[in-house]
């Protein structure tokens, strides 16, 4: 705790020592500074990827091609996905893990601080490499632009790209290395650095979800690296892994890719489950319902995520037995996911709620993520998926789970912990504006896409029949509204983090916070817990730890 | 959008909600999948509606409970939080009930899937090959085969800066130069492949899409019940003109189809007579 830290002369020295800007931000080994870097990087990528989304929605505003060529449109859909997944969502969760895990388990820092620095600083270089072919084309008219074969990089199409294939693949390798190092750090920290008395089954749910996510990352990022390496050698070194004419198998790529890709989906949602499980009990003033069930449900989802990959491939022509297996396994995921949703709803039942911005985003998450989950259940029904697959119905589905799921959880986490990080309260009125505008516009944006898909509009097309015009226009209006609303978010963060504007935040920040991170000062000291805190089970976020 | 367009749109929307009639092709303000033109597509539509209603009911219960909580258990209304954090009975119920619902869904889904996988007993075969960015159709057992690509009017209108008002183009992006002609009431097997990259052949009214993959031959089947024109599109990203390789199926009564096929073969014979190649074999029906 903060008081304890002052008794430790060695660490006082560290707290006091003056670092230059370069030392602090470029050579940092401090979990909070690296967490901040991750979060700011993620925010930047969120706007870069969001801008690409707006190019897409602008082109789709009315039928006919008005703004961009089809090839450029395909580059936008491809890069939007890569930037949002690897640049916005994943680094945001790693940033939150960096900031919060040591503070939540009573540790002074992450277990491997130098590797921590490295895993962040790979990212700016990786994304420079990823964006370079596109930026060259857009700003200097050099080359043919970025990859245009979709973020899944399916061969043979992805191999029709030029040298940008090499840029994309090396960027993905670097992102993978960064993610694996981040994951190793999270595992090492959680398994080795918990304060005495912080048993695994007393840890905050956020730490649990991240521990499981970290294992998923270590398991699947090398698989992606393998898949894209084979693409690389197929493209530049005359191998024929995926080239049918040379005896290769283009469908094998899809199997390998989705063996990565499906756990990846849970990598992007499990930490979000953890965040929401921290926030709802705080503002409901009631312990989390079914703590252990939440942990087991998370572990079950993680296990199932490895045996459902081919549900992305129901139309590739698998044997009947394969289709049936992947249908049943996919349907099964609804059970642990349902347990989680019911547990959140039960936490709210007979509670005493207030609706500050983090709580609004958390409730928005539960409702809208569940809509995405339910459309996911629909997609698991193979015969129906023969209709839904590769249409806007799927686009609506995964944006409900990723935007109103992962992104809403990241926003909820930001509002929840921003006063802890910066020491000042954010502007609550602006926060509420941000929530309501985002929620209204995100539904205007994505809900009509369900209709478009059911009516027969394929995804990834730059132009469409007039029958699809009305809902596309509505969707685009939603997109611009949602995009502009995020400027409020950026302004709120700038006010707190860079201008220090706002009321002084107390240690506990919110009325009913529980957990070790709230025993530290706001902002917390340089080294979070220099002496292990004394753990009282009553102070833990989830109350009764026996259930 | 003008008020008139909006109100006419709403009119269509209400009509769409009220009507259960099948559309062959997408309609403005269309909200739902269509039952399609085959027995299988009807089954798929029914599966879709059942799972949709199940999802709506689950959603209503969960969201209902949440909204009730938000209205009732507010601190500003003096609500005092309970301290319990588990309830074994409830937890067993909400684990077991979803499993039962899923089993209930899996049974009809499995039955439909088994039917769809059975391409046996087909009366004719059409080979479909995807190319960037057109389709080739071959009537297996005859020499009739042709390329089908986006029709000229759409192709002109879809260019960037074409100056054409695409709302005035009939069946914009959903029309081809040479449609695939098929007979009704006939079990037709499709063998589907591609020559360059992966494509996916999708006509919503037939109820399925099937990827066309180089080096692979996938099969699927249909038996169309109603004569009509059914439109679809490529459903797998296949490069810059992915959005511009539509599919048009025209289903005709058997006699009309046979006449059409004979005429196509005769036309080929005329050509082949001049270049001295053997006459094509007549269509084989198993």
């Amino acid at each position: 705790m903060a008081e304890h830290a002052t008794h430790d002369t060695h660490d006082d020295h560290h707290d006091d020592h003056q670092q230059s800007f370069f030392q602090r931000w470029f050579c940092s080994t401090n979990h909070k500074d690296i967490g901040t870097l991750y979060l700011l990087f993620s925010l930047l990528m969120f706007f870069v990827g969001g801008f690409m989304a707006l190019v897409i929605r602008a082109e789709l505003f009315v039928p006919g091609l008005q703004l961009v060529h089809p090839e450029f449109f395909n580059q936008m859909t491809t890069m939007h996905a890569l930037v949002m997944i690897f640049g916005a969502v994943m680094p945001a969760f790693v940033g939150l893990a960096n900031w919060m895990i040591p503070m939540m388990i009573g540790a002074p820092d992450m277990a491997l601080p130098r590797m921590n620095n490295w895993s962040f600083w790979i990212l700016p270089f990786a994304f420079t490499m990823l964006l370079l072919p596109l930026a060259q084309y857009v700003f200097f008219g050099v080359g043919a632009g970025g990859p245009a074969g979709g973020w899944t990089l399916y061969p043979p199409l992805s191999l029709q790209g030029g040298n940008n294939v090499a840029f994309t693949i090396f960027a993905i390798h670097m992102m993978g290395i960064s993610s694996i190092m981040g994951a190793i750090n999270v595992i090492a920290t959680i398994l080795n650095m918990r304060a005495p008395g912080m048993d695994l089954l007393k840890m905050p749910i956020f730490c649990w979800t991240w521990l499981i996510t970290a294992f998923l990352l270590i398991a699947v990022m090398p698989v992606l690296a393998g898949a894209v390496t084979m693409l690389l050698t197929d493209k530049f070194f005359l191998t024929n892994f995926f080239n049918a004419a040379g005896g290769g198998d283009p469908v094998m790529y899809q199997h390998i890719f989705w063996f990565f890709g499906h756990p990846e989906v849970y990598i992007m949602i499990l930490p979000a489950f953890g965040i929401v499980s921290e926030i709802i009990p705080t503002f409901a003033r009631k312990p989390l319902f079914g703590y252990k069930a939440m942990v087991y449900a998370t572990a079950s989802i993680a296990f199932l995520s490895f045996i459902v990959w081919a549900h992305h491939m129901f139309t590739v022509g698998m044997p009947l037995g394969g289709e049936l297996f992947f249908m049943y396994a996919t349907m099964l995921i609804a059970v642990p996911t349902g347990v989680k949703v019911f547990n959140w709803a039960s936490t709210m039942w007979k509670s005493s709620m207030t609706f500050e911005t983090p709580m609004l985003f958390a409730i928005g998450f539960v409702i809208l993520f569940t809509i995405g989950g339910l459309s996911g259940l629909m997609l698991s029904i193979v015969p129906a998926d023969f209709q839904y697959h590769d249409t806007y119905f799927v686009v609506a589905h995964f944006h409900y789970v990723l935007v109103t799921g992962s992104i809403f959880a990241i926003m909820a986490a930001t509002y929840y912990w921003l006063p802890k990080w910066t020491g000042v309260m954010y502007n609550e009125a602006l926060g509420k504006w941000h929530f309501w505008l985002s929620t209204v516009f995100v539904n205007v944006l994505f809900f009509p896409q369900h209709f478009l898909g059911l009516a027969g509009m394929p995804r990834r097309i730059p132009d469409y029949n007039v029958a699809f015009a009305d809902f596309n226009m509505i969707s685009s209006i939603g997109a611009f509204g949602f995009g502009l609303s995020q400027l409020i978010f950026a302004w709120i963060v700038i006010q707190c983090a860079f201008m220090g504007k706002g009321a002084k935040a107390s240690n506990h920040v919110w009325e009913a916070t529980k957990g070790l991170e709230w025993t530290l000062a706001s902002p917390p000291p340089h080294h979070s817990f220099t002496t292990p805190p004394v753990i009282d089970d009553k102070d833990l976020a989830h109350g009764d730890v026996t259930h | 959008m003008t008020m008139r367009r909006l109100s006419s749109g709403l009119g269509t929307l209400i009509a769409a909600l009220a009507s259960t009639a099948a559309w062959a092709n997408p309609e403005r303000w269309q909200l739902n999948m269509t039952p399609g033109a085959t027995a299988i597509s009807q089954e798929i539509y029914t599966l879709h509606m059942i799972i949709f209603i199940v999802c709506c009911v689950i959603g209503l219960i969960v969201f209902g409970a949440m909204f009730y909580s938000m209205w009732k258990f507010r601190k500003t209304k003096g609500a005092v939080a309970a301290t319990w954090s588990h309830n074994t009975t409830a937890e067993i119920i909400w684990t077991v009930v979803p499993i039962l619902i899923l089993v209930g869904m899996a049974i009809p889904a499995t039955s439909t899937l088994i039917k769809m996988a059975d391409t046996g007993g087909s009366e004719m075969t059409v080979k479909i090959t995807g190319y960037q960015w057109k389709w080739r159709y071959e009537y297996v057992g005859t020499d009739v085969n042709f390329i089908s690509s986006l029709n000229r009017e759409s192709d002109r209108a879809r260019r960037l800066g074409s100056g054409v008002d695409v709302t005035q183009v009939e069946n914009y992006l959903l029309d081809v130069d040479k449609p695939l002609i098929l007979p009704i009431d006939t079990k037709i097997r499709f063998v589907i492949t591609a020559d360059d990259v992966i494509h996916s052949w999708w006509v919503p009214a037939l109820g399925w899409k099937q990827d066309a993959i180089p080096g692979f031959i996938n099969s699927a089947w249909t038996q169309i019940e109603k004569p009509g024109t059914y439109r679809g599109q490529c459903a797998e990203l296949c490069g810059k003109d992915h959005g511009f390789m539509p599919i048009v199926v025209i289903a005709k009564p058997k006699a009309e189809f046979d006449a059409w096929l004979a005429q196509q073969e005769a036309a080929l014979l005329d050509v082949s007579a001049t270049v001295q190649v053997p006459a094509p074999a007549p269509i084989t029906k198993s």
Side-chain angles (χ1 to χ4, degrees):
Chain A
M1 273 173 241
E3 307 90 294
H4 293 185
T6 54
H7 300 306
D8 188 323
T9 47
H10 173 74
D11 282 284
D12 274 350
H13 170 71
H14 275 285
D15 276 352
D16 294 339
H17 80 196
Q18 292 297 307
Q19 293 172 301
S20 69
F21 180 85
F22 182 81
Q23 276 178 322
R24 176 161 183 201
W25 295 110
F26 289 82
C27 308
S28 179
T29 53
N30 181 279
H31 74 99
K32 300 186 198 74
D33 289 347
I34 294 173
T36 303
L37 289 172
Y38 263 112
L39 289 169
L40 291 175
F41 178 80
S42 154
L43 188 63
L44 176 69
M45 287 297 133
F46 180 58
F47 281 98
V48 171
F51 186 78
M52 293 172 183
L54 292 185
V55 173
I56 295 168
R57 285 315 322 173
E59 178 54 63
L60 294 172
F61 190 62
V62 287
L65 287 180
Q66 290 83 28
L67 303 172
V68 296
H69 288 286
E71 181 70 10
F72 189 77
F73 182 90
N74 290 346
Q75 292 176 23
M76 287 291 105
T77 56
T78 306
M79 295 300 290
H80 163 70
L82 289 170
V83 167
M84 285 301 200
I85 291 168
F86 293 102
V89 175
M90 292 171 71
F93 284 134
V94 182
L96 292 168
N98 254 296
W99 253 103
M100 300 318 300
I101 288 174
M103 284 162 54
M104 285 176 147
I105 61 171
D109 204 307
M110 295 294 276
L112 307 160
R114 287 187 181 84
M115 194 168 83
N116 205 8
N117 174 293
W118 193 19
S119 67
F120 170 76
W121 277 106
I122 284 176
L123 283 181
F125 294 96
F127 278 85
T128 305
M129 191 177 272
L130 180 72
L131 291 164
L132 199 62
L134 181 70
Q136 259 189 342
Y137 172 72
V138 172
F139 298 118
F140 307 110
V142 176
W151 82 278
T152 53
L153 304 172
Y154 279 5
L157 180 66
S158 63
L159 300 177
Q160 289 184 344
N163 290 335
N164 62 44
V165 175
F167 281 83
T168 309
I169 288 171
F170 282 127
I172 288 173
H173 278 143
M174 289 164 76
M175 293 166 203
I177 293 168
S178 159
S179 291
I180 290 169
M181 290 198 297
I184 290 171
N185 216 342
V186 166
I187 294 171
T189 307
I190 290 178
L191 295 187
N192 294 302
M193 302 196 47
R194 279 170 291 124
M198 176 60 80
D199 302 343
L200 277 177
L201 276 171
K202 288 182 184 175
M203 279 200 307
I205 289 278
F206 178 70
C207 300
W208 257 112
T209 54
W210 239 113
L211 180 64
I212 292 167
T213 302
F215 279 102
L216 289 183
L217 275 167
I218 290 179
V220 301
M221 292 313 283
V223 178
L224 175 67
V228 296
T229 305
M230 285 185 265
L231 277 186
L232 189 76
T233 60
D234 268 12
K235 171 78 183 165
F236 298 102
F237 303 103
L238 304 175
T239 58
N240 288 303
F241 290 108
F242 308 126
N243 176 13
D249 182 344
V251 177
M252 184 174 76
Y253 175 85
Q254 300 186 16
H255 282 290
I256 301 171
F257 180 86
W258 287 113
F259 187 81
F260 146 80
H262 203 79
E264 169 69 16
V265 170
Y266 293 102
I267 288 165
M268 292 190 285
I269 202 66
L270 295 183
F273 289 167
I275 289 163
V276 169
S277 304
E278 300 296 331
I279 292 173
I280 290 181
T282 299
F283 296 96
R285 294 165 181 75
K286 183 163 161 274
L288 180 68
F289 186 94
Y291 169 80
K292 281 190 177 167
M294 286 297 216
V295 172
Y296 297 144
T298 308
S300 316
I301 293 172
F303 169 73
L304 288 171
S305 77
F306 284 104
I307 55 166
V308 297
W309 75 88
H311 69 212
H312 298 268
M313 304 164 56
F314 282 146
T315 64
V316 300
M318 271 186 294
L320 178 64
E323 309 250 83
L324 289 175
F325 172 80
F326 286 107
M327 173 167 75
Y328 301 149
T330 305
M331 290 169 94
L332 216 50
I333 290 189
V335 177
T337 314
V339 165
K340 289 196 152 281
V341 172
F342 297 137
N343 284 1
W344 290 319
S346 305
T347 306
M348 291 164 68
W349 192 260
K350 300 225 161 155
S351 66
S352 174
M353 276 183 275
T354 51
F355 300 93
E356 290 86 345
T357 311
M359 181 63 160
L360 291 175
F361 270 102
I363 292 172
F365 168 94
V366 176
I367 292 175
L368 299 172
F369 168 80
T370 302
I371 292 177
L374 290 171
S375 62
L377 181 59
M378 295 174 75
L379 284 159
S380 75
I381 309 291
V382 180
D385 182 74
F386 288 151
Q387 290 278 38
Y388 307 139
H389 181 75
D390 265 335
T391 69
Y392 261 82
F393 190 82
V394 175
V395 176
H397 158 73
F398 67 70
H399 281 99
Y400 264 89
V401 291
L402 273 174
V403 179
T404 59
S406 306
I407 302 268
F408 265 38
I410 291 164
M411 305 230 163
T414 308
Y415 285 110
Y416 187 50
W417 285 311
L418 194 60
K420 169 59 61 186
W421 300 334
T422 61
V424 292
M425 289 302 289
Y426 62 86
N427 184 331
E428 183 67 39
L430 271 184
K432 288 206 163 90
W433 270 104
H434 174 227
F435 168 76
W436 286 109
L437 289 172
S438 296
T439 302
V440 168
F441 281 122
V442 86
N443 284 291
V444 173
L445 164 55
F446 294 119
F447 209 82
Q449 295 185 357
H450 291 111
F451 307 141
L452 287 171
L454 293 175
M457 181 169 161
R459 61 190 283 212
R460 293 166 161 169
I461 57 173
D463 195 3
Y464 47 81
N465 182 266
V466 182
F468 307 126
D470 309 287
F471 285 127
N472 267 300
M473 184 178 279
I474 293 171
S475 182
S476 290
I477 291 168
F480 279 89
F482 182 74
L484 290 174
S485 306
Q486 303 322 307
L487 297 175
I488 304 174
F489 179 66
W491 174 239
I492 291 170
V493 170
I494 289 167
Q495 273 192 320
C496 285
F498 298 107
M499 297 159 66
K501 241 184 105 182
K504 177 91 188 69
S506 68
N507 289 8
H508 272 80
V509 182
W510 311 104
E511 190 185 74
T513 44
K514 283 187 169 182
L516 289 177
E517 76 266 38
W518 308 104
T519 63
L520 293 170
S522 305
H526 191 69
H527 291 290
S528 299
F529 288 97
T530 46
T531 51
V534 179
I535 306 220
D536 184 343
D537 285 358
K538 285 199 296 295
D539 293 337
L540 297 175
H542 38 75
D544 182 2
V545 292
T546 55
H547 291 100
Chain B
M1 198 185 301
T2 66
M3 272 319 286
R4 226 181 98 239
R5 271 180 71 191
L6 189 67
S7 62
S8 82
L10 283 176
T12 328
L13 198 71
I14 291 158
L17 282 168
S19 147
T20 52
W23 296 299
N25 302 303
E27 295 276 329
R28 290 187 67 172
W29 299 104
Q30 183 176 335
L31 295 175
N32 199 2
M33 193 187 281
T34 66
T38 71
I40 288 289
S41 70
Q42 175 67 53
E43 269 187 41
I44 289 171
Y45 175 78
T46 309
L47 276 175
H48 157 73
M49 288 313 288
I50 295 171
I51 190 73
F52 172 65
I53 290 163
V54 167
C55 287
C56 287
V57 171
I58 296 170
L60 280 177
I61 294 169
V62 176
F63 303 151
M66 288 180 67
F67 280 109
Y68 178 78
S69 299
M70 284 186 263
W71 170 71
K72 181 88 178 172
F73 308 122
R74 307 177 77 104
K75 194 185 173 218
T76 50
K77 283 179 126 187
V80 179
T83 51
W84 44 262
S85 62
H86 79 114
N87 181 327
T88 312
T89 319
E91 293 182 74
I92 290 172
I93 290 173
W94 69 50
T95 310
V96 173
V97 171
I99 291 175
L100 295 178
I101 295 173
L102 292 177
V103 171
M105 274 316 298
I107 293 167
T110 304
S111 132
T112 304
L113 197 59
I114 289 170
K115 282 183 219 167
M116 293 181 79
D118 178 17
T119 54
S122 59
E123 297 157 76
M124 64 178 277
T125 299
V126 175
K127 184 182 175 199
I128 301 172
T129 311
Y131 298 88
Q132 285 176 318
W133 292 274
K134 48 193 173 282
W135 300 97
R136 174 185 285 277
Y137 300 114
E138 293 169 60
Y139 293 77
V140 175
T142 79
D143 276 351
V144 178
N145 76 90
F146 53 86
I147 297 266
S148 175
S149 47
L150 184 68
N151 75 334
R152 268 186 180 203
E153 208 188 343
S154 288
D155 195 42
R156 245 197 314 270
R158 61 113 174 168
R159 306 277 158 187
L160 189 61
S162 67
V164 179
D165 177 6
V166 298
T167 60
Q168 301 308 312
V169 179
E170 206 183 347
N171 294 315
Y172 177 59
L173 299 184
L174 291 179
D175 213 349
V176 294
D177 50 1
K178 290 196 79 174
L180 175 65
I181 313 286
L182 293 175
I184 61 164
D185 299 328
T186 307
K187 184 163 181 178
I188 305 161
R189 183 170 75 115
F190 297 98
V191 289
I192 303 171
T193 187
D195 198 51
D196 36 42
V197 301
I198 301 172
H199 304 267
S200 188
W201 197 82
W202 180 35
V203 177
L206 304 188
W208 48 264
K209 61 179 67 69
Q210 183 69 61
D211 289 1
I213 304 170
F216 280 74
I217 295 177
N218 280 326
S219 59
W221 66 272
T222 193
Q223 182 160 349
I224 302 169
E225 290 175 338
K226 286 167 270 191
T229 305
Y230 305 108
R231 296 173 198 281
Q233 285 176 271
C234 176
E236 177 66 49
L237 179 64
C238 59
K240 73 182 171 69
D241 285 352
H242 162 56
F244 308 103
M245 51 182 291
I247 296 153
V248 179
V249 170
I250 296 181
K252 296 187 171 198
K254 266 183 178 171
E256 269 182 57
F257 170 77
D258 289 340
W260 173 82
L261 195 67
Q263 185 199 344
Q264 297 296 307
E265 289 190 284
L268 280 173
L269 268 177
D270 279 351
V271 180
S272 51
T274 57
V275 294
Q276 301 292 314
V277 290
I283 184 163
T284 49
K285 289 188 177 174
S286 51

